[in-house]
Amino acid sequence: MDDFRNKLARFMYGRYGTDQLNTALLVMYFLLLIINVFTRLIIIDILMWSVFIWTVFRTFSRNIYKRQKENRIFLNYWNPVKSEILLSARRLREIQTHRFRRCPQCKTVLRLPRRTGKHLVRCPRCQNRFHVRIII
Ligand SMILES: [Zn+2]
C-alpha cells in the first residue's frame, strides 16, 4: 500500500492536482450525467465528456501558474454567488429570531433582532444611520 502511495506521490509531483474549479467541474459533470439519464441527448453527452476531460487535464497539468489563474477567475465569479447562497440559508434558518437588511451606503448586510416597527439603525461598518421597517 505504501509502495502504491509513493508511486502516486511521485506521479503527481509537479502536477497541479485539484482545486475549487475542479470540484465545480465534477459537480457539473454529475449534474449532466443525471440530466443525460433522462434526456439522452447527444449534446449533453458531448458536454459531459468535455467537462470530464477538462477536469482530468487540469488535475494532471504541469502548468500550475495557468491552472491557478483559471481558478482565480472562477472564484471571482463563484464567491459572490456562494456568499448569497449562504446568506439566504442563514436568513431561512434565523427567520424566527432575526431580520437581515442591507446598509444603503456600504451594502453590508446587518443582522437585526426581529422587533416589529420602525427603528433607527447604525451600520457598524460605515457608521451610517438609517431607518429600518420590520413588518413581520
Ligand atoms: Zn454601512
Side-chain angles (χ1 to χ4, degrees):
M1 194 66 198
D2 272 352
D3 190 43
F4 174 73
R5 260 194 182 153
N6 286 338
K7 279 183 181 170
L8 185 68
R10 233 185 346 258
F11 176 72
M12 287 306 290
Y13 182 77
R15 296 179 192 271
Y16 186 61
T18 191
D19 61 6
Q20 293 92 339
L21 177 56
N22 265 13
T23 308
L25 286 172
L26 276 178
V27 168
M28 196 169 139
Y29 172 77
F30 282 110
L31 287 177
L32 288 170
L33 193 76
I34 291 165
I35 292 168
N36 199 26
V37 167
F38 297 108
T39 58
R40 295 257 176 226
L41 292 172
I42 191 79
I43 187 77
I44 303 286
D45 249 348
I46 293 168
L47 258 175
M48 206 175 83
W49 283 106
S50 309
V51 166
F52 185 75
I53 290 166
W54 191 26
T55 309
V56 172
F57 165 76
R58 291 191 80 249
T59 304
F60 298 123
S61 171
R62 287 182 187 274
N63 194 345
I64 292 171
Y65 174 74
K66 205 168 182 184
R67 302 291 88 79
Q68 284 175 335
K69 199 173 161 193
E70 289 168 358
N71 193 49
R72 263 198 307 277
I73 293 168
F74 164 71
L75 287 179
N76 278 344
Y77 288 101
W78 173 241
N79 281 342
V81 174
K82 183 182 168 188
S83 61
E84 278 303 314
I85 292 170
L86 290 176
L87 179 64
S88 298
R90 190 168 181 197
R91 275 183 164 170
L92 277 177
R93 239 187 356 259
E94 297 181 2
I95 201 164
Q96 295 292 324
T97 54
H98 292 86
R99 292 293 179 262
F100 293 77
R101 296 290 186 270
R102 216 171 269 280
C103 169
Q105 194 168 302
C106 70
K107 309 298 179 205
T108 299
V109 176
L110 278 71
R111 180 175 170 263
L112 307 165
R114 181 184 162 203
R115 261 186 267 127
T116 54
K118 196 176 179 183
H119 308 285
L120 184 65
V121 179
R122 185 175 52 86
C123 172
R125 190 174 182 195
C126 69
Q127 311 302 321
N128 176 36
R129 287 174 189 273
F130 59 99
H131 286 279
V132 162
R133 186 184 301 257
I134 296 173
I135 300 165
I136 50 169

